Amino acid sequence: MAGRFIVFEGIDGAGKSTLIDEVSKKLESAGIRTVVTAEPTEGPIGMLIRSGAVKCISPNAEALLFTADRACHTSEIVGWMEEGTTVLCDRYYASTIAYQSAGLDGTVSGKEWLMDINRPVTVEPDTTILLDIDPEAGMRRVGERGARSKYEVTEYLGRVRSNYLEIAEEKGFRIIDASRPKDEVLRETMKILGE
Ligand code: TYD
């Protein structure tokens, strides 16, 4: 049987990576083979994005880079699923819609265009879980981790969060209140996956 494709979305500090590791452990101990993967990837385009080597970048150019990275990633994801492995993915196309249409530098990419460029290079996940959290609370967590990317600005993340909630409504993502204790968030996630 083909594996499932489960995506986790949310603003920086929502707790996606910790949750994904816990979910993977639980699924593996239930005999379900999983692979944990993330975007931006560690492939050549993902590494280019992370390197900061591309200067003077507009949200449109950035969206194209994230989407090109995703196009390669999608082939890998489909391959894993065909092998019967369940794929747990930290960010997918909704990240590009939510972030690149939020206008970090005052310019925005249109949501429709972002959807259009993503459609041919993505597959629809079986489930997308949106970890929803107030940016202030998210930033406190990121602060604890000590990492701050240019995207980690409270006001900007407020707009990213609204975009996420809008896409979630449109696409039927499952929304979890990520401000609650970790074990409750994990329990709710496992309940959704059980369905
Ligand atoms: P993140 O998940 O924080 O990766 P890591 O923890 O490994 O640094 O992603 C890095 C940043 O990239 C994050 O702030 C969100 C942003 N991003 C976009 O703006 N658009 C996208 O399409 C993706 C995948 C990420």
Side-chain angles (χ1 to χ4, degrees):
M1 203 180 97
R4 301 299 172 99
F5 179 28
I6 300 154
V7 171
F8 294 81
E9 291 280 2
I11 62 169
D12 304 77
K16 293 186 304 315
S17 40
T18 318
L19 176 68
I20 293 173
D21 286 342
E22 294 296 324
V23 169
S24 167
K25 278 187 209 143
K26 287 223 177 254
L27 293 179
E28 289 278 347
S29 62
I32 297 168
R33 198 165 68 230
T34 64
V35 63
V36 173
T37 187
E39 293 185 3
T41 69
E42 289 183 358
I45 304 171
M47 293 314 281
L48 176 67
I49 296 169
R50 286 172 191 278
S51 73
V54 186
K55 304 288 181 203
C56 310
I57 200 161
S58 68
N60 282 348
E62 210 160 40
L64 291 167
L65 281 177
F66 280 118
T67 305
D69 183 39
R70 181 164 307 123
C72 301
H73 198 204
T74 297
S75 317
E76 277 189 294
I77 291 167
V78 169
W80 287 319
M81 287 162 67
E82 282 171 359
E83 288 167 6
T85 305
T86 286
V87 180
L88 304 177
C89 188
D90 187 338
R91 302 191 181 282
Y92 199 50
Y93 69 80
S95 282
T96 299
I97 319 294
Y99 280 81
Q100 272 62 58
S101 76
L104 187 63
D105 65 355
T107 56
V108 294
S109 296
K111 287 193 183 111
E112 273 184 35
W113 177 71
L114 293 170
M115 281 307 299
D116 286 345
I117 58 169
N118 271 275
R119 210 169 285 115
V121 297
T122 51
V123 287
E124 200 52 50
D126 291 293
T127 308
T128 298
I129 292 176
L130 172 59
L131 294 184
D132 181 50
I133 193 163
D134 173 66
E136 296 276 352
M139 279 306 87
R140 275 197 295 277
R141 286 193 190 161
V142 172
E144 284 161 20
R145 265 202 330 250
R148 266 173 196 263
S149 79
K150 67 171 180 171
Y151 304 103
E152 295 170 353
V153 181
T154 313
E155 199 193 307
Y156 170 68
L157 289 180
R159 292 198 295 277
V160 176
R161 182 194 193 188
S162 315
N163 288 337
Y164 264 135
L165 290 170
E166 197 182 302
I167 307 158
E169 166 93 24
E170 211 173 286
K171 293 277 183 180
F173 295 172
R174 307 295 297 261
I175 303 170
I176 295 183
D177 173 1
S179 66
R180 294 175 315 160
K182 280 181 189 163
D183 54 339
E184 278 182 36
V185 173
L186 177 61
R187 207 175 314 128
E188 192 172 338
T189 305
M190 293 312 295
K191 194 168 149 240
I192 291 170
L193 299 184
E195 289 165 16

